[in-house]
C-alpha cells in the first residue's frame, strides 16, 4: 500500500535507523515492523486477518481512523484515503492507550 505520514517525526523514525523520535527502542522496533506489514499489504483486509494486530475501527471523534497494536500499551493510529486499488494509508500517530 502507498503510505503517507501526517507526522514528519514518524516518517523519520521509519526512514532513519539512528533516529527514535523520543520513543523507546521496543516501540521503534514494533513500529518499523508494522510499517513493513503495511507497505507489503495489498489492502486493509490483511490487517483484519492478522489477529495479533488487533486492527480495529475507532469510535467517536476518531471514527474515520483505525488502530493496530504495537505492544500491550501503545497503538499505531492510521486512516485510509481514496478507493481501492489506489487507497493510501496515512500514518497519524503512535499513542498510549493507558
Amino acid at each position: 500500500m502507498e503510505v503517507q505520514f501526517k507526522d514528519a517525526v514518524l516518517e523519520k523514525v521509519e526512514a532513519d535507523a539512528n533516529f527514535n523520535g523520543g520513543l523507546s527502542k521496543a516501540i521503534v522496533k514494533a513500529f518499523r515492523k508494522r510499517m513493513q506489514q503495511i507497505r507489503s499489504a495489498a489492502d486493509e483486509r490483511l490487517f483484519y486477518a492478522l489477529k495479533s494486530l488487533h486492527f480495529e475501527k475507532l469510535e467517536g471523534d476518531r471514527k474515520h481512523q483505525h488502530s493496530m497494536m504495537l505492544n500491550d500499551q501503545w497503538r499505531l493510529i492510521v486512516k485510509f484515503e481514496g478507493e481501492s486499488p489506489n487507497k493510501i494509508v496515512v500514518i497519524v500517530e503512535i499513542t498510549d492507550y493507558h
Side-chain angles (χ1 to χ4, degrees):
M1 296 182 90
E2 184 179 338
V3 174
Q4 292 180 355
F5 289 84
K6 184 175 178 185
D7 184 347
V9 171
L10 291 180
E11 185 172 15
K12 188 171 180 182
V13 169
E14 182 193 18
D16 185 345
N18 297 315
F19 183 74
N20 67 13
L23 300 167
S24 72
K25 276 185 167 183
I27 297 303
V28 169
K29 182 177 179 179
F31 171 66
R32 290 179 179 150
K33 179 180 177 181
R34 291 291 176 260
M35 290 306 301
Q36 289 175 345
Q37 292 171 318
I38 290 169
R39 290 186 184 280
S40 66
D43 60 36
E44 69 270 18
R45 289 178 293 184
L46 175 68
F47 308 144
Y48 286 109
L50 295 172
K51 298 297 182 194
S52 64
L53 293 181
H54 295 273
F55 184 70
E56 58 190 18
K57 187 167 178 50
L58 300 178
E59 298 177 355
D61 58 349
R62 288 186 171 238
K63 65 183 177 188
H64 60 287
Q65 298 175 341
H66 292 75
S67 74
M68 58 180 73
M69 282 183 82
L70 294 177
N71 68 14
D72 290 340
Q73 182 176 351
W74 295 88
R75 304 288 186 271
L76 178 62
I77 307 299
V78 301
K79 66 179 181 177
F80 297 94
E81 295 180 350
E83 298 293 325
S84 291
N86 300 317
K87 197 175 274 192
I88 297 169
V89 180
V90 178
I91 307 302
V92 177
E93 68 177 325
I94 293 175
T95 189
D96 181 349
Y97 262 36
H98 290 106

